[in-house]
Amino acid sequence: MATGALLTTPAASAGAASSDTQRSAFSAQAEQAGLTAPQRAALQQRVDAILAQDGGQQTAANEISYPDGRLLLPLPGEKRARDLNSPANVAAAAHTCTPGNLCGYSGAGYTGEEREWYTCTFHKKPSSWTSGGSWYNNQTPGRVANWYDANKRWLGSTPPAPYGTEHGQWRGVGYAKPC
C-alpha cells in the first residue's frame, strides 16, 4: 500500500509542475499582449471558471480547446477575441471565424467570446450565452448550419456560407450543428 502512494506522488508532482509551467507561459503570453498583472489574473480566473463549468484544455492565455473546436476570450479591455497563438494577433475589426468553421459570438457585432465548431455533430453552446450575440457561418461555400433547442429539436438554419449576422439571439438555442 505504501509503495502505491510513493509511486503516484512523483506523477502528481510532475503534473503540477507541468501545469505551473503552462500557466507561466500563458501569463507571459498575456503580458506580451500588453496586459497588466491584474488583467492577466482576471483573464486566467475567467478561463479557470469556464474550464470548471464546460471542460476543455487551455491552449493559450485566452483560448480553450475542445475536441470539436475552440473558445477564444477577448482580452480585458477589448471587445473582440483574438488568437494570441497567431503571428498577427492584432484585434480584428470584423469576425475572426476560421475558414471551414461555424462561429458563435457572445456579443453583437462579432464581439465577446468566440466559439468555433467544425465537426458535423451536435455542439452544446457555451452555458453562459443566454441572450444576444452573433454568429458567422464560414464553412464551405453553400453549406448551412443548424440551430437546435436543449432537447435537440430543430429551430432553424443559417443561410448558406459564407454568411453571418451581427445581431443574433442565443436564448432558446441549446446546440449548434455545422452541417
Side-chain angles (χ1 to χ4, degrees):
M1 297 265 172
T3 306
L6 291 174
L7 292 175
T8 59
T9 302
S13 297
S18 174
S19 177
D20 289 344
T21 301
Q22 286 179 325
R23 281 193 184 256
S24 179
F26 297 145
S27 181
Q29 185 182 47
E31 183 176 16
Q32 186 176 1
L35 298 185
T36 64
Q39 289 173 321
R40 293 191 305 270
L43 177 60
Q44 187 61 54
Q45 185 177 24
R46 178 72 182 127
V47 168
D48 290 343
I50 293 169
L51 289 169
Q53 186 166 354
D54 296 333
Q57 178 180 356
Q58 185 173 6
T59 49
N62 68 331
E63 179 180 275
I64 299 171
S65 291
Y66 302 94
D68 65 348
R70 68 179 180 172
L71 176 73
L72 287 175
L73 302 169
L75 300 179
E78 295 183 6
K79 290 184 178 186
R80 289 184 165 75
R82 57 181 163 132
D83 185 349
L84 295 180
N85 287 329
S86 170
N89 68 15
V90 296
H95 76 82
T96 54
C97 189
T98 304
N101 293 343
L102 170 64
C103 297
Y105 300 84
S106 61
Y110 314 119
T111 62
E113 297 173 2
E114 176 192 282
R115 180 64 162 94
E116 293 188 358
W117 299 287
Y118 55 83
T119 58
C120 184
T121 189
F122 286 98
H123 304 280
K124 191 163 178 54
K125 74 163 173 73
S127 56
S128 63
W129 297 9
T130 57
S131 66
S134 50
W135 54 266
Y136 197 85
N137 181 1
N138 205 19
Q139 299 180 93
T140 304
R143 180 166 281 181
V144 300
N146 294 283
W147 309 117
Y148 296 84
D149 70 10
N151 296 309
K152 296 184 179 173
R153 289 185 297 240
W154 183 77
L155 297 172
S157 298
T158 68
Y163 184 87
T165 184
E166 292 191 30
H167 300 283
Q169 180 55 259
W170 291 112
R171 186 177 299 120
V173 175
Y175 294 88
K177 189 174 182 185
C179 60

